[in-house]
Amino acid sequence: MKQQRNLRRRERKSNSLFLAIPALLLLSAGWSIGCSSDSESDQWQTPTEWVLLIAQEDKRVNSRCQLLNDIARAQLAAGEKEQALQTLQPALELIHEAVDIGAENTSIIDTLILLGEVETAVQTAKDFRSPVLTDPAFKAIALELIKTGKISEAVEAVQNLENERSAIRVYESVVESLVQQGQQQQALEFVEQIPQLNHKGAALCALAMVYHKQGDSQKAFELLKPIADWYQKVDDQTVVDRYMTRRDQLMVKLAAAYARGGNSKRALEIANKISVPQSRNAELAKIAEHIARESGDYEQALEIVNQIQISKLQYSTGKFLALMNISTIIARDSGDFEWAMKVADEIKGRESEIAAYRKPALEEIATLAAKTGNEAQTMAVVEKISQMYHLRDRPLSLNNVAFHLVENGHLKSAMKVVEMIQSPEQKKHVWDAIASNYARSGKTEKAIEFAQKNQTKTDHDSALLLVASHLSEAGKSDEALKIATQVPASSRTNSSIKVMVLERIALELLRKGDASKGLMALDEAVSVALESNDGIFPTLGIIPLACEPLTAAQQKEADKDIVTPLKKSFTPEESRVAKRLMKAIPLKSPHPM
């Protein structure tokens, strides 16, 4: 199921869609929802009519909203701005009324901005319920307003966020983006307009962090100076972040900004002013990690870690987390795997704490050792893990260890790592991971070799489907299609994976203009979906089938989300596949095919 979800991730009232469907389709054709016509040609004639009909009839709210947005983007690409806005209207109404809107529909905000409908974008963003949706939406809106010189309006837009933590995150994200785009003056003007001191301070800290990253710590420290004077003025009663007050939260961000610039002394002074022990100790841990990472002074970092209180569970776990992170920093940056292991061994406590902190530290050290080709050190760490805690309880993190051993020619040791895992199901995950890594690199033969190490036919087949998916991502669509079509849909899980893999391959091929193979892949996906009868819906192919392929210039661009105009007409083969595709999608009323 996790494989299915990972693949799937790449993917106001419904009757209002009548506004968006051409009058010729609705009036001249003489049909109504729920009524069959004498022939399918009475229902749709063009790709535009076909895709609008699917959007009108799709039972699933999130899918319908996403499809309407994709159609609007395609119409906008063709210069049909008014039609695009009309098409989008039912989606806006659905968002206003729906409770559970998926994260994929935040792109509707971007479409509204492209249409110049910023006010509508604000109202739509206010309809979102989760910070996962609201934060990127209001960031996009604020940046658009700043782009047009409306800086005060941008701040006002962010203030629509009822969640204070979200507002702070958006302020921080906006200034980071502005500085990264070379718009330092706009960033400073934006911060100046923020009314709340703790919000303004957080934004300045974020701004300083960017300057540190760009190598201008002097500028960063200048920005931080006024924040210390605001300390007593900031509310120390209202809790805004779990157990942190507004004042403590600001001091946490300020300490982190000084630590990032290498001023550990000032960072520690500020951290020790934090009133709540949980926050203070967490910040000490971050400062220690920063010193280890940025200066390589591991001794000083460990001294700071030892200042963390351990009288309560949350304190000990904070200390253990810091030791875990510092041990992996030592392994990664110095290559001193033995010292890294000694630091990890300082994580002592109950079995649950050892499993949560020491074991992941050792696993990461083993991965880093394997990556550098240090076979002996890798196996020493793996042996230590196996003695400390049974591998079958948490084997998945050994995927990369085995892969890097194989990659560096240490196949015998890699096999030993896999054999230490008793569960066949967990061994499957290791083989799949190795095969997938090779597939992502375009190494087809190696990918197939390790996929075939799975013991059962079903596992072997699902691994091959994952290989096909990753080969498609690597641009080897022909090889991906060949593998995917040969794998039987031997189980419900494999049927789902096969449909999604074939859709992904079809998407890549259709967008590149290889209609023949793209239609073959999409047609096969539809066939598997129809035969399985397990609620597998091949919707990823709808827009690629309805839209023009990318131009040669567009294929070279880094932006993979380019939307092209809808086609003027279908070829006979495209029309045949389009008809079959409608059968496999859950529509509100059946349409004879």
Side-chain angles (χ1 to χ4, degrees), residues 404-469:
H404 289 305
L405 285 169
V406 171
E407 193 174 43
N408 285 303
H410 305 307
L411 185 60
K412 187 176 180 180
S413 290
M415 295 303 102
K416 185 176 179 181
V417 170
V418 177
E419 289 308 313
M420 292 171 76
I421 301 170
Q422 294 185 356
S423 164
E425 176 62 24
Q426 301 303 343
K427 283 184 182 180
K428 165 185 160 47
H429 287 295
V430 178
W431 298 134
D432 288 355
I434 296 174
S436 294
N437 279 331
Y438 276 123
R440 289 189 189 97
S441 302
K443 299 176 182 177
T444 307
E445 291 182 6
K446 278 284 188 183
I448 293 174
E449 175 189 340
F450 282 92
Q452 290 175 335
K453 288 184 181 293
N454 280 293
Q455 294 181 3
T456 69
K457 183 67 168 63
T458 299
D459 289 347
H460 166 245
D461 290 344
S462 67
L464 284 176
L465 287 170
L466 289 177
V467 166
S469 175

Side-chain angles (χ1 to χ4, degrees), residues 279-320:
S279 302
R280 182 171 62 250
N281 285 297
E283 203 54 37
L284 288 172
K286 290 178 186 176
I287 293 169
E289 291 170 27
H290 175 79
I291 290 170
R293 184 172 54 252
E294 299 299 327
S295 70
D297 191 342
Y298 306 130
E299 293 286 2
Q300 185 189 7
L302 293 171
E303 285 178 14
I304 294 172
V305 171
N306 286 331
Q307 295 179 30
I308 297 175
Q309 303 172 42
I310 57 172
S311 58
K312 293 183 180 179
L313 176 61
Q314 62 263 37
Y315 302 151
S316 63
T317 55
K319 181 176 181 176
F320 294 161

